[in-house]
Amino acid sequence: MTSRCPQCNAETTENQRFCRYCGYRLDQSLPDYVATETLDHQTQPASYTTPPPWMTPAPMGQETTQMRPRGGLRRGRRLAIWIAVGVVSLSVVVGGIITHRISNRRAAPAVATLPASYIGVNLEDEDQGVMIEEVYDGTPADQAGLIGGDVIVEANGALVRSERELRRVLRSTPPHSELRLKILRDGQPMEVIVVTGIEDDFRDRGPDGPVGFFGIGDDGERVRVPGRELWGVQLNDVLPNDPADLAGIKNGDIVIEFNGHPIRTPSELSRRIRQTAPYTTVQVKVIRDGQELVIPVKLGKNE
């Protein structure tokens, strides 16, 4: 059995307690409900005579498929729209930053890296500092008067206790600038100023012609002169019938000077011999049995 809702005039069934379209209470018989005043449908506003499309009742026995739009769905759509707008805005900003950085990198001029300063020595760590084992011919160290056996203890005001520390100072010093070195030579402090250079400018600077020949089988051994703060090169293999032997040089002699140049390492002795032209007579100062001897030696020619 069907009836009409007194509120919206929609069709209802017998067992309905509320109108499915306007919510009007239909069941007035329950004791826990308070009777409410109903409006005469004849005096209702015209807008209620024709329900909205979503309130059109479905035929009896069928489920309606039309639903009233819900506020939660609208809010979800708005939130999705705002999220999309935010993502697009963030992408534009990040893309602009990346493009700006890339363009700056392309536009930035290349910065030339200066090579490390070069002085031209072979080094060896010592307790007091860094010892110069060998000075290469014609290099800044050679021009400044450094010799093999000098111990570098300070460079441009920085203490030097290893080859690594000296290399660090050289890397921080521009080429062709002054490098102030404090050294120990035979235990005595000295200060030397070296005008640094670039290593490539001093490559392949070997002898242009024949070099002198002294007549020893090996470079000798760096030793300390007994009883003195002095180092030299002890000869252990003087070749028979060669210039040193013919001049009176003997095994065990400690060479401390060659043609006016201090000799403190085997490399320094070899360098001085190479720098001397063949058939030149040089003055060699040696220590023999605690006595200093100066022996003139006429060099031969190193074939």
Side-chain angles (χ1 to χ4, degrees):
M1 180 177 180
T2 61
S3 60
R4 295 284 178 175
C5 174
Q7 177 75 19
C8 65
N9 200 31
E11 192 175 71
T12 63
T13 61
E14 181 180 6
N15 58 353
Q16 280 186 245
R17 295 178 61 187
F18 297 93
C19 177
R20 71 175 66 181
Y21 301 107
C22 68
Y24 180 77
R25 187 184 302 112
L26 301 175
D27 188 356
Q28 301 290 334
S29 62
L30 295 177
D32 56 342
Y33 283 97
V34 178
T36 58
E37 184 179 356
T38 60
L39 294 175
D40 187 357
H41 70 277
Q42 297 295 333
T43 62
Q44 291 179 1
S47 60
Y48 283 92
T49 59
T50 304
W54 60 81
M55 295 179 63
T56 303
M60 293 301 295
Q62 296 184 11
E63 294 290 337
T64 179
T65 57
Q66 294 180 333
M67 299 182 64
R68 186 175 182 175
R70 298 180 180 179
L73 180 59
R74 291 195 296 270
R75 288 194 297 271
R77 289 177 178 175
R78 287 197 296 269
L79 179 59
I81 291 172
W82 280 113
I83 292 176
V85 171
V87 171
V88 172
S89 301
L90 182 60
S91 301
V92 172
V93 173
V94 173
I97 293 174
I98 294 175
T99 303
H100 176 71
R101 290 185 176 179
I102 293 176
S103 61
N104 283 348
R105 287 179 181 177
R106 291 176 178 175
V111 178
T113 302
L114 292 176
S117 282
Y118 175 77
I119 60 175
V121 293
N122 185 19
L123 302 170
E124 181 179 321
D125 291 350
E126 267 205 357
D127 293 338
Q128 294 176 296
V130 183
M131 187 189 75
I132 298 176
E133 175 67 27
E134 180 179 6
V135 177
Y136 301 127
D137 297 342
T139 60
D142 186 22
Q143 297 170 12
L146 292 171
I147 63 172
D150 288 344
V151 179
I152 301 173
V153 297
E154 189 175 304
N156 279 351
L159 293 177
V160 173
R161 291 296 178 267
S162 67
E163 179 179 353
R164 178 181 297 180
E165 292 178 354
L166 180 59
R167 298 295 182 192
R168 186 182 302 121
V169 175
L170 289 173
R171 285 195 298 269
S172 63
T173 303
H176 312 298
S177 60
E178 291 186 352
L179 177 68
R180 293 182 176 272
L181 300 179
K182 288 185 178 180
I183 67 171
L184 296 176
R185 179 176 295 174
D186 299 329
Q188 300 300 313
M190 297 177 59
E191 185 168 315
V192 179
I193 297 177
V194 181
V195 178
T196 65
I198 299 175
E199 184 174 4
D200 289 344
D201 295 340
F202 297 92
R203 292 185 182 276
D204 302 326
R205 287 203 168 191
D208 295 331
V211 298
F213 176 67
F214 188 57
I216 52 178
D218 57 35
D219 293 335
E221 178 186 1
R222 171 178 162 84
V223 297
R224 183 174 179 175
V225 176
R228 298 174 62 178
E229 187 67 32
L230 181 65
W231 292 78
V233 176
Q234 180 174 289
L235 303 179
N236 300 315
D237 189 15
V238 178
L239 300 177
N241 300 319
D242 280 332
D245 177 54
L246 295 175
I249 301 290
K250 300 181 180 297
N251 286 329
D253 287 350
I254 301 174
V255 180
I256 60 173
E257 190 175 299
F258 186 92
N259 209 27
H261 301 287
I263 302 298
R264 301 294 180 265
T265 65
S267 296
E268 186 69 23
L269 176 59
S270 297
R271 182 170 80 99
R272 297 303 178 182
I273 294 173
R274 291 194 308 270
Q275 287 181 336
T276 306
Y279 313 122
T280 300
T281 299
V282 296
Q283 304 296 319
V284 181
K285 185 182 291 188
V286 302
I287 302 293
R288 180 185 298 168
D289 298 327
Q291 302 294 319
E292 285 191 10
L293 302 174
V294 178
I295 301 174
V297 180
K298 183 177 182 180
L299 299 185
K301 181 179 179 181
N302 196 344
E303 300 294 340

